[in-house]
Amino acid sequence: MDTPESERAANLEGGYDPEAIEAKWQERWVDEEVYAYEGTEETDPNTTYAIDTPPPTVSGSLHMGHLYGHTLQDFAARFNRMHDGEVLFPFGYDDNGIASERLTEEDLDIRHQDYERREFQRLCREVCEEYENSFTEKMQGLGCSIDWNHTYKTIEPRVQRISQLSFLDLYEKGREYRKKAPAIWCPECETAISQVETEDDERHSHFNDVAFEVAGEDPPREEFVISTTRPELIPACVSVFVHPEDEDNQDLVGETARVPIFGHEVPIIADERVDMEKGSGIVMCCTFGDQKDIEWYQAHDLPLRVAIDETATMTDLAGDYEGRSTEEAREAIVEDLEDAGYLRDRREIVHDVGVHERCDTPVEYRVSKQWYVEILDHKAEYLEAGAEMDWYPEKMFTRYRHWIEGLEWDWLISRQRDSGIPFPVWYCADCDHPIMAERESLPVDPLSDEPPVDACPECGSEEFEAEEDVFDTWATSSLTPLINAGWDWDAESEEFTMDHPELYPFDLRPQGHDIISFWLFHTIVKCYEHTGEVPFDATLINGHVLDENREKMSKSRGNVVAPDEVIDEYPVDAIRFWAASAAVGDDFPYQEKDLTAGEKLLRKLWNASKLIDNLAPADPAEPNELEAIDRWLLAELDSAVEDLTNHLEEYEFAKARNRLRTFFWNTFCDDYLEIAKTREDSPSTQYALRTAHRTFLQLWAPYLPHVTEEIWQAVYARSEESNSDLESIHTDDWPAPQGYEADLAAGETAMEVISALRRYKSENQLPLNADLESVAVHGEIDGFEDAIRDVMHVADLEVLAEPPEITTEVASIDLDYSTLGPKYGSKVGEIDGGIESGEYEIDDEAGVLRVAGEELAEDLFEVELERSYSGDGEMLETESAVVIVG
RNA sequence: GGGUUGGUGGUCUAGUCUGGUUAUGACACCUCCUUGACAUGGAGGAGGCCGGCAGUUCAAAUCUGCCCCAACCCA
């Protein structure tokens, strides 16, 4: 009977079969908890690398952004796990908030209004759980080195406790307040929302020119016209504004206007916030049409006329229109204005409307009592905190700075929703004094739990009202560093503690560039206020994956590429190799053909490993002395290791990837392996081969975790035989330079000679293993003669002490412009001209070049000679050698 | 409307901060070749006025200004 693929021991037989092998390792890594974080309080924070990854919103399926973002994080996690020590790569789900409520409503085709609160919450948990399970499965299929024991959901009780602790702490620090003020309101979701939750959307609408009569005994004129896109707000009109420099309309200032149809009278006021360019330059101010109306309401102490309620239904202030939706009222009012002769013009326009990002409903502005976190007074601190972090790429800091500089509102954190984390607050029924829950009893739900006091400390009343609001999503998701570090209140010592203080501040915060302004910002605000520290040493901003035409993927465009489909087609390792191709922070397109480069690399690595396995024993002893060619390879390897380590420490994944690929493919496979084939009996070569191979596997491991693990287990790991715990390559040590010294120049020259001989064979249509009678080389190839002879099948290799008999003539003269320029300035043009026209003289005796009346010293120019060889055989030239093939 | 970032062979990209005359690599294309692993491999080749215009400079993909295009953020 066949052994199931998943249980087959690793070996190098046959071709590489990613489909079976990748699934096998993903399963074992999870089963054997290879990536479990094992640090404790005692662990040195300097050798602990902790990532705080923003938990994905539970809103559906895995997209390319998740794949790309997590792959980048995984590069960092895997490199640091090998290089530094303990790594925490946690995972969370953001299943708390409006997004998950809407998901539930859509999934079950229900409305939250039709359910009792607890019942709806239960449904949310169920729906989210299903989505989370399938998401987890897909994440594990990406092979990320996440510690699956270290996960959280933002709705779980532990996180609820942390959220409520955070609320109480900020309240005690005087950083939170409750205030009745205008706030952005979503009539569909029936909750206040914050500014960052709105976005602009283009909508078709009409501009309506409406006549207002001027009231009073002796008006300067009969009427004036205002333009509005929202006639349904006319009953809410509280004043009319004119710009103070608007000469045409100055006569109106100080007069009173009569609102058409509704008949109430409002003052006409001068204010420089009026946009004179728009319409007639006269505008009405309502409760509330836009943000400017709010500013006017505050600046001029205007009354409130609330004509639209929380469900976008007209109130009794709208008279006959009461009970209609804003849409219906708009049409009806326009008709009635026309009938009454007030409508002067009506034209179609397209304009931007603020809508709620979760449901695309145009938002309203409503006065309501809400909780705020005060942030405007600490802008300088938050800017300073952001500047303390390392930004990768650095330029992304600008976005953060501009965001903070442009802040105009404190952070509204209360939401009138069902499923969320409740505010741990009750209010005195008589005097409205807030009663905070006690820290020990958190999490609490004021709707079902009792307040911690029997009587109001202010007025003695014994009646309390529970706060019904829940926290804004970001009030919780801004706490992820504290959640991951196990932040809590210790009642005995009366201070905040962390289960894992060694993790905080976190080493890395990865995220897309679109959420710098709210998610990252809010996280810094919260953690900074709680701990007085910046929560992250560094932040890594990933770009977006675009479609093959460089356009943003979106459902409406239908150009979304689902990661599942890509993973079905291509090895995860190949996808990872592609993901490493873009500079961090840059958007880049997904093109299927780019994945073939990764596939080819996997095959190359596999095949090279097979060859090495045939050429040398797995663990050869180190010889006393290495031969030149082998020492050369290991010295080059040292330098690659050093470069790679530097790149990875700087999160330069693309640079590291390209450096490693070039060295592995060109230098190692194309050059060294071919030579090694002819030297398999040499203990020196055997040792170098194996050392390089082990090192390559380790260097590739962060990028190609599956194939390197398979080869590692097949060849080097002992866990298979000893039946002990898995000795994964991913928990092995990152290679360090071994200090090999070699004549790198001679090695380079030798490789040039080999290249030249290959080209010679290729051009003469000879097989590469064709024998060459005799070859003479003039150039520094000390110690590499045998290598050249063997790999190129040269019968007789001669190293010439003197250049071969050649006649030379000057082909060109290269000038060293970087020294020539500063020295001769504008004379350079003449010098160039002199050389071009042949009006120059080379004085070999003095070692100078005379041109354009100047004498250029030896180090300023280089004479390129055209060599022609008149002896036997054919001459081949390389950068630093001359080769004669006999 | 304001700001940020980017525009390099057919495609993707390195190089731009720190200016130096031969602009990197991959994919695709063309020609040739069975090196003891890999033909899904190897050796070669063709393909670029570095978005446009002006300026600074002996010298500009690189610095400056303006313009065009795209993405993102903010109005």
Side-chain angles (χ1 to χ4, degrees):
Chain A
M1 216 169 93
D2 286 349
T3 316
E5 198 63 53
S6 61
E7 286 169 30
R8 212 186 67 184
N11 67 64
L12 293 180
E13 282 160 32
Y16 179 56
D17 174 15
E19 211 169 317
I21 287 171
E22 291 190 338
K24 174 179 78 175
W25 286 115
Q26 285 163 8
E27 210 172 297
R28 282 199 69 182
W29 290 332
V30 173
D31 286 352
E32 307 211 11
E33 302 180 357
V34 170
Y35 307 119
Y37 173 69
E38 278 161 5
T40 66
E41 227 170 298
E42 316 294 314
T43 312
D44 180 359
N46 292 322
T47 61
T48 302
Y49 185 84
I51 300 178
D52 175 57
T53 163
T57 306
V58 178
S59 63
S61 49
L62 188 82
H63 54 68
M64 289 305 276
H66 293 126
L67 182 155
Y68 177 53
H70 280 93
T71 301
L72 288 192
Q73 294 166 35
D74 196 46
F75 293 154
R78 289 185 183 276
F79 164 66
N80 281 286
R81 191 178 289 112
M82 293 177 79
H83 189 237
D84 249 359
E86 285 296 325
V87 165
L88 172 68
F89 187 178
F91 195 77
Y93 287 107
D94 194 12
D95 47 11
N96 153 47
I98 296 180
S100 58
E101 289 189 31
R102 293 210 69 91
L103 174 74
T104 305
E105 290 179 324
E106 280 163 29
D107 197 75
L108 303 177
D109 195 21
I110 57 172
R111 276 170 62 82
H112 71 98
Q113 290 92 335
D114 300 335
Y115 287 80
E116 189 267 321
R117 185 168 176 161
R118 287 296 168 99
E119 177 65 8
F120 184 67
Q121 286 180 359
R122 192 182 59 77
L123 293 173
C124 284
R125 307 289 184 276
E126 283 175 13
V127 169
C128 286
E129 174 116 21
E130 271 177 45
Y131 275 85
E132 285 159 5
N133 289 341
S134 103
F135 204 97
T136 299
E137 233 170 74
K138 285 176 182 166
M139 283 301 303
Q140 290 177 346
L142 297 182
C144 289
S145 60
I146 290 167
D147 177 358
W148 291 103
N149 299 329
H150 215 114
T151 61
Y152 61 87
K153 302 176 182 191
T154 53
I155 200 69
E156 72 186 38
R158 182 177 78 92
V159 175
Q160 295 212 13
R161 176 173 163 82
I162 291 173
S163 296
Q164 292 184 338
L165 277 174
S166 162
F167 173 79
L168 294 184
D169 188 45
L170 291 189
Y171 182 74
E172 277 175 26
K173 289 190 159 102
R175 309 280 327 140
E176 285 167 334
Y177 60 90
R178 185 173 181 240
K179 186 178 170 188
K180 188 170 183 178
I184 303 170
W185 185 271
C186 175
E188 165 68 24
C189 303
E190 291 181 39
T191 179
I193 57 175
S194 73
Q195 209 183 345
V196 297
E197 288 167 276
T198 67
E199 54 191 30
D200 289 343
D201 197 18
E202 277 194 350
R203 295 289 162 99
H204 288 274
S205 179
H206 292 87
F207 243 130
N208 302 281
D209 287 353
V210 180
F212 279 51
E213 290 164 354
V214 185
E217 287 296 298
D218 186 21
R221 53 172 128 158
E222 292 262 309
E223 59 165 50
F224 59 88
V225 171
I226 61 106
S227 295
T228 178
T229 55
R230 301 200 56 193
E232 74 274 18
L233 278 169
I234 291 176
C237 178
V238 290
S239 67
V240 167
F241 283 96
V242 169
H243 199 279
E245 283 157 25
D246 182 355
E247 289 171 15
D248 294 347
N249 294 312
Q250 281 312 299
D251 56 325
L252 294 172
V253 175
E255 299 289 333
T256 301
R258 186 177 304 116
V259 177
I261 303 184
F262 298 92
H264 61 280
E265 295 186 357
V266 298
I268 304 174
I269 306 168
D271 191 295
E272 59 197 10
R273 278 165 279 210
V274 172
D275 180 359
M276 285 197 287
E277 308 296 312
K278 260 191 190 160
S280 61
I282 310 173
V283 295
M284 68 171 180
C285 169
C286 310
T287 307
F288 294 107
D290 56 24
Q291 226 150 288
K292 208 180 275 175
D293 287 350
I294 295 169
E295 286 178 39
W296 279 328
Y297 156 78
Q298 286 161 341
H300 298 276
D301 202 19
L302 298 168
L304 284 176
R305 284 182 68 90
V306 180
I308 298 172
D309 76 2
E310 66 276 6
T311 63
T313 305
M314 305 307 289
T315 66
D316 57 345
L317 259 183
D320 294 345
Y321 309 97
E322 179 180 359
R324 300 199 195 185
S325 74
T326 48
E327 302 282 330
E328 293 162 356
R330 179 180 309 166
E331 296 310 315
I333 290 174
V334 168
E335 269 177 40
D336 293 346
L337 284 170
E338 180 146 34
D339 290 348
Y342 291 111
L343 187 68
R344 295 300 149 80
D345 193 20
R346 179 171 162 85
R347 53 195 182 280
E348 265 191 41
I349 56 157
V350 175
H351 69 151
D352 281 341
V353 177
V355 300
H356 185 199
E357 61 174 359
R358 299 281 176 218
C359 66
D360 288 334
T361 307
V363 297
E364 299 285 351
Y365 297 86
R366 286 182 55 79
V367 172
S368 54
K369 226 173 195 184
Q370 305 285 350
W371 279 97
Y372 295 85
V373 175
E374 190 166 12
I375 51 176
L376 295 179
D377 61 332
H378 277 191
K379 276 161 84 164
E381 280 95 324
Y382 302 147
L383 193 54
E384 175 59 28
E388 275 179 40
M389 296 192 293
D390 292 327
W391 290 73
Y392 299 97
E394 227 170 304
K395 63 188 178 189
M396 288 296 175
F397 175 63
T398 324
R399 289 206 184 187
Y400 179 82
R401 184 160 50 82
H402 285 194
W403 169 256
I404 291 191
E405 285 168 355
L407 279 176
E408 284 173 353
W409 302 77
D410 279 333
W411 175 12
L412 194 166
I413 55 165
S414 46
R415 297 290 182 273
Q416 291 71 53
R417 294 294 293 189
D418 289 328
S419 170
I421 301 176
F423 278 71
V425 187
W426 297 259
Y427 305 101
C428 170
D430 286 341
C431 72
D432 206 30
H433 180 76
I435 313 290
M436 297 289 154
E438 279 171 349
R439 286 169 165 149
E440 295 75 45
S441 57
L442 302 181
V444 299
D445 184 352
L447 289 177
S448 51
D449 296 324
E450 291 299 316
V453 295
D454 295 328
C456 171
E458 287 293 308
C459 72
S461 164
E462 291 178 12
E463 292 292 311
F464 299 97
E465 282 169 7
E467 170 64 89
E468 293 185 7
D469 288 358
V470 296
F471 290 134
D472 162 29
T473 306
W474 285 300
T476 298
S477 54
S478 57
L479 295 168
T480 54
L482 300 178
I483 297 168
N484 279 321
W487 189 67
D488 202 355
W489 172 260
D490 183 43
E492 254 171 55
S493 61
E494 299 209 325
E495 57 183 17
F496 285 105
T497 56
M498 288 186 192
D499 292 343
H500 288 287
E502 78 282 3
L503 295 174
Y504 194 93
F506 280 63
D507 293 78
L508 185 70
R509 163 65 168 226
Q511 65 185 9
H513 55 58
D514 51 336
I515 56 173
I516 292 173
S517 50
F518 44 102
W519 206 332
L520 176 65
F521 170 70
H522 287 148
T523 307
I524 291 175
V525 168
K526 283 271 200 147
C527 296
Y528 178 80
E529 295 295 349
H530 288 306
T531 68
E533 277 182 284
V534 189
F536 313 115
D537 292 339
T539 180
L540 178 73
I541 311 292
N542 65 271
H544 285 170
V545 181
L546 308 173
D547 80 353
E548 56 182 356
N549 300 314
R550 293 200 141 267
E551 284 182 39
K552 193 177 172 176
M553 290 187 188
S554 76
K555 277 182 193 155
S556 54
R557 280 201 189 116
N559 62 347
V560 174
V561 177
D564 320 32
E565 291 165 21
V566 182
I567 290 170
D568 280 348
E569 287 278 326
Y570 293 92
V572 171
D573 283 344
I575 299 168
R576 293 169 63 94
F577 187 69
W578 159 77
S581 68
V584 163
D586 285 359
D587 290 349
F588 70 121
Y590 168 77
Q591 301 195 101
E592 201 168 324
K593 60 179 184 178
D594 287 345
L595 295 177
T596 56
E599 270 190 304
K600 284 178 164 189
L601 175 65
L602 301 186
R603 228 174 278 128
K604 191 77 176 174
L605 183 57
W606 182 262
N607 288 322
S609 299
K610 283 169 70 166
L611 175 62
I612 292 161
D613 218 36
N614 283 328
L615 292 178
D619 200 6
E622 182 168 9
N624 290 333
E625 188 126 0
L626 286 166
E627 293 176 50
I629 183 74
D630 304 315
R631 214 169 56 238
W632 168 77
L633 176 79
L634 294 180
E636 291 284 0
L637 183 66
D638 270 358
S639 136
V641 167
E642 198 176 333
D643 287 352
L644 241 63
T645 306
N646 292 338
H647 285 318
L648 289 172
E649 280 176 339
E650 289 298 308
Y651 300 102
E652 294 171 334
F653 302 125
K655 284 184 182 172
R657 170 196 110 129
N658 295 338
R659 172 77 169 90
L660 182 55
R661 186 195 179 276
T662 303
F663 181 60
F664 169 69
W665 201 304
N666 302 122
T667 307
F668 182 68
C669 290
D670 292 347
D671 293 340
Y672 183 78
L673 259 187
E674 292 303 331
I675 295 168
K677 281 178 187 171
T678 67
R679 301 167 48 81
E680 68 179 309
D681 295 334
S682 154
S684 168
T685 294
Q686 290 180 351
Y687 180 78
L689 264 179
R690 283 304 185 174
T691 304
H693 185 236
R694 272 175 190 271
T695 307
F696 276 123
L697 290 178
Q698 291 165 326
L699 296 175
W700 278 124
Y703 289 104
L704 314 172
H706 305 85
V707 69
T708 50
E709 182 81 292
E710 177 73 9
I711 299 170
W712 187 260
Q713 297 300 331
V715 186
Y716 299 115
R718 301 210 177 77
S719 41
E720 295 288 336
E721 322 155 12
S722 61
N723 223 1
S724 59
D725 286 349
L726 178 63
E727 280 178 40
S728 172
I729 187 172
H730 302 296
T731 49
D732 207 51
D733 284 341
W734 184 254
Q738 299 297 304
Y740 287 103
E741 282 176 20
D743 187 346
L744 295 181
E748 185 58 33
T749 306
M751 295 310 139
E752 280 175 22
V753 171
I754 291 170
S755 271
L757 291 173
R758 270 198 210 124
R759 201 176 309 132
Y760 171 83
K761 290 184 178 182
S762 175
E763 278 166 6
N764 289 284
Q765 309 199 356
L766 294 169
L768 282 169
N769 60 354
D771 290 332
L772 293 176
E773 277 296 303
S774 81
V775 170
V777 177
H778 175 62
E780 285 300 315
I781 51 167
D782 273 3
F784 294 87
E785 299 87 347
D786 289 349
I788 297 172
R789 184 178 2 231
D790 294 343
V791 74
M792 283 292 112
H793 300 268
V794 177
D796 178 22
L797 182 87
E798 188 189 355
V799 177
L800 303 173
E802 296 294 323
E805 281 172 38
I806 44 180
T807 53
T808 60
E809 72 190 88
V810 175
S812 63
I813 294 177
D814 288 344
L815 299 174
D816 176 12
Y817 288 96
S818 58
T819 22
L820 199 68
K823 193 167 176 187
Y824 290 97
S826 55
K827 197 87 204 232
V828 172
E830 279 181 55
I831 295 172
D832 274 336
I835 289 172
E836 203 168 321
S837 62
E839 291 163 25
Y840 63 88
E841 183 193 352
I842 298 168
D843 187 336
D844 283 329
E845 292 282 305
V848 296
L849 171 68
R850 295 199 186 89
V851 61
E854 299 289 345
E855 210 165 78
L856 306 189
E858 202 168 17
D859 56 341
L860 287 178
F861 69 97
E862 200 169 333
V863 178
E864 287 295 315
L865 295 175
E866 177 93 57
R867 296 185 177 88
S868 45
Y869 177 62
S870 46
D872 294 336
E874 190 175 329
M875 182 188 69
L876 315 170
E877 285 186 83
T878 78
E879 192 80 19
S880 36
V882 178
V883 182
I884 309 291
V885 183

